[in-house]
Amino acid sequence: MDLKSGYPFWAVKNGLLKTFPQLTRDHQCEVVVIGGGITGALIADELSRKGHHVVVLERRDVGWGSSAASTALLQYEIDAHMTALAERYGEADAVRAYRACAEAIGELESLAAELGNVDFERQQSLYYASNEEDVAPLKEELALRQKHGFEAEWMEREAIFAEYGFVAPGAILTQLAATIDPYRMAYQLFSRVVERGGEVYDRTQMETITPDDHGVTLTLANSAKLRCQYVVMAAGYESQAWLPEKVADNLSSYALITDPLPPEALGKLRHTMVWESARPYLYMRTTCDGRLLVGGDDDDEDIPKRRDARVEEKAEGLAAKIEALWPRLDINPTFSWGGTFAETGDGLPFFGPHDALGPRVHFAMAYGGNGISYSMIGAKLLRALIEGREHPLAELFSFKRLAKIA
Ligand SMILES: Cc1cc2nc3c(=O)[nH]c(=O)nc-3n(C[C@H](O)[C@H](O)[C@H](O)COP(=O)(O)OP(=O)(O)OC[C@H]3O[C@@H](n4cnc5c(N)ncnc54)[C@H](O)[C@@H]3O)c2cc1C
């Protein structure tokens, strides 16, 4: 499976930042993390920070999976509304999930400050109603969030036009959101893991997993064997291949980026990410150098060749939608791309063990529009499970809820 098509901006902007060696000999360690994307990076960093000996295996090059294609909006706002989660799981769990995402943004900010140079920027988030029918559900959503202390406010049509220059019947404006360069962050985190004595291997594919009562044996594609106490499966959308049942739908999502635009053309959009209530949603953010990054138009295509063929047409469609909303913006895509994306039935991620592979193999399936915020939560959650501690979201984000989603 090829996880992306076209020219993902982060890989073009940064190039190959560092090459890690291949693992070609038998080896042993405490925890093996499979997958060198942003999820594997955050988990390996969290574990190595607390003194765990971690080995990371990446079958491509680090960051070269979906993380290179991510548009990297960091949001506490989950694709599923808090009202929808409250209906499904109760208000307490819905609030717990939203609050954890809000805390994850602060945690990512702290990590970014430690690492430096990963383009972390605080932004506002404007979530607009795509049509009149969506105004009432958005107002209900706002009321529930406000009830639980989330800072957010309602904007009427006139205010949206005056402040942000486009027409929408209403919107939720929140101050807590951010953007990042996920590819650079993954590299920086893995470099730090190595400095702490951890090991990161590129072009090293795990082929079989054999758990037993005392540990787990992994066989690599080159036949080397790796023995460990625990495995974290952070293999992105390819993690699903290790489960007996389908836990998410694989989709493709598309994005484009422009050349830097003049600050006067962007106005308040420079520091505000914008997205909408329609599904799949159109969204946009800026980069630190004033480019506009636009994404959306997801479809259920997961055959890379067919997705490749669609990238240009999808980018034209996304540009046309933005120009229809903001006629003063002239959108010329500099790079455009598509990437694999997955959605669970309830918009929540899966973290933890699955019966199929037993208690020593933990999955890190940070699926959804705010996958990176989920990965940050997953890093803490999985460290707690590996250390035999409880975590407030362990139950909600476990595979136990699969029966409720089906
Ligand atoms: C177009 C697009 C836009 C997105 N926008 C956002 C956004 O705005 N905000 C957000 O939070 N999220 C967003 N996402 C989702 C986000 O990109 C993902 O949540 C995140 O990048 C996933 O990281 P990951 O490390 O889990 O997966 P990946 O980056 O795919 O990493 C998994 C790695 O595992 C490796 N691997 C797989 N199998 C094996 C094996 N057997 N052995 C060794 N290695 C293996 C793969 O090569 C891959 O590099 C977007 C995704 C796309 C495609």
Side-chain angles (χ1 to χ4, degrees):
M1 178 196 265
D2 196 348
L3 297 170
K4 60 197 181 318
S5 315
Y7 294 94
F9 176 63
W10 308 115
V12 175
K13 171 184 169 244
N14 294 301
L16 207 56
L17 285 168
K18 183 174 174 155
T19 309
F20 295 93
Q22 264 182 297
L23 179 60
T24 52
R25 64 189 162 91
D26 290 355
H27 196 27
Q28 57 184 37
C29 68
E30 185 193 355
V31 186
V32 174
V33 175
I34 296 160
I38 189 68
T39 307
L42 288 164
I43 293 167
D45 181 67
E46 175 68 17
L47 290 169
S48 71
R49 188 170 68 81
K50 290 292 172 182
H52 296 280
H53 180 210
V54 182
V55 166
V56 179
L57 307 179
E58 167 52 56
R59 64 184 282 237
R60 301 180 171 87
D61 286 287
V62 155
W64 207 244
S66 301
S67 295
S70 177
T71 46
L73 282 68
L74 307 179
Q75 294 173 284
Y76 79 80
E77 301 171 279
I78 297 172
D79 287 352
H81 285 175
M82 191 190 277
T83 49
L85 290 178
E87 204 167 302
R88 201 189 267 267
Y89 298 116
E91 211 164 297
D93 275 344
V95 173
R96 199 169 289 132
Y98 264 72
R99 201 157 276 148
C101 289
E103 286 165 9
I105 295 174
E107 286 159 1
L108 286 160
E109 183 170 31
S110 303
L111 276 185
E114 285 168 27
L115 298 168
N117 199 18
V118 293
D119 286 3
F120 183 97
E121 197 175 277
R122 284 261 180 180
Q123 296 237 341
Q124 298 183 317
S125 165
L126 188 70
Y127 180 33
Y128 70 89
S130 309
N131 48 54
E132 290 292 347
E133 292 76 63
D134 286 352
V135 167
L138 253 58
K139 283 189 169 171
E140 279 171 38
E141 172 68 11
L142 175 66
L144 188 60
R145 287 198 214 165
Q146 286 174 332
K147 177 181 162 194
H148 293 285
F150 288 85
E151 264 180 53
E153 63 190 89
W154 186 252
M155 291 195 78
E156 296 290 354
R157 178 191 298 269
E158 298 72 25
I160 296 170
F161 188 70
E163 305 254 339
Y164 297 97
F166 73 106
V167 177
I172 297 175
L173 177 68
T174 172
Q175 304 297 327
L176 181 58
T179 52
I180 205 160
D181 174 341
Y183 181 81
R184 185 170 272 275
M185 187 162 191
Y187 267 91
Q188 308 253 68
L189 288 166
F190 283 130
S191 299
R192 189 158 87 164
V193 168
V194 172
E195 281 163 23
R196 291 185 184 130
E199 299 164 55
V200 179
Y201 296 100
D202 272 342
R203 290 152 287 119
T204 302
Q205 178 164 337
M206 187 277 294
E207 276 209 340
T208 65
I209 311 180
T210 315
D212 57 51
D213 289 348
H214 307 288
V216 186
T217 303
L218 302 174
T219 312
L220 309 185
N222 58 21
S223 303
K225 290 208 184 308
L226 190 49
R227 179 76 181 163
C228 60
Q229 293 300 302
Y230 296 99
V231 170
V232 175
M233 181 70 77
Y237 308 114
E238 290 161 305
S239 299
Q240 294 192 68
W242 302 94
L243 293 174
E245 77 271 75
K246 190 172 164 198
V247 302
D249 290 322
N250 271 7
L251 309 169
S252 285
S253 190
Y254 301 86
L256 69 87
I257 194 160
T258 67
D259 279 331
L261 296 173
E264 60 278 11
L266 290 174
K268 278 199 155 187
L269 297 177
R270 171 67 190 83
H271 299 289
T272 312
M273 60 182 67
V274 180
W275 60 303
E276 64 170 331
S277 58
R279 296 291 185 270
Y281 50 83
L282 175 73
Y283 63 90
M284 65 182 203
R285 56 163 279 197
T286 56
T287 57
C288 288
D289 61 351
R291 296 167 190 270
L292 202 57
L293 182 43
V294 178
D297 220 356
D298 307 359
D299 58 33
D300 58 8
E301 186 57 76
D302 70 347
I303 297 178
K305 268 204 175 152
R306 291 218 290 255
R307 185 179 60 209
D308 281 2
R310 288 183 185 178
V311 167
E312 209 170 311
E313 183 195 330
K314 290 281 186 175
E316 282 168 15
L318 290 170
K321 283 180 186 169
I322 294 295
E323 285 175 342
L325 282 171
W326 287 274
R328 69 189 156 86
L329 288 177
D330 187 13
I331 305 292
N332 284 312
T334 310
F335 297 106
S336 48
W337 65 93
T340 307
F341 187 78
E343 260 178 14
T344 60
D346 58 4
L348 297 180
F350 291 107
F351 292 113
H354 186 284
D355 287 346
L357 289 172
R360 290 180 178 272
V361 179
H362 293 279
F363 284 79
M365 301 170 112
Y367 296 169
N370 49 353
I372 300 173
S373 307
Y374 282 157
S375 303
M376 186 71 248
I377 299 170
K380 307 265 176 197
L381 192 160
L382 293 182
R383 180 165 76 79
L385 296 188
I386 285 171
E387 292 175 353
R389 291 183 290 109
E390 293 188 350
H391 187 282
L393 284 162
E395 178 86 12
L396 182 64
F397 288 178
S398 77
F399 289 105
K400 285 185 196 154
R401 70 173 204 281
L402 261 180
K404 293 186 197 163
I405 304 175

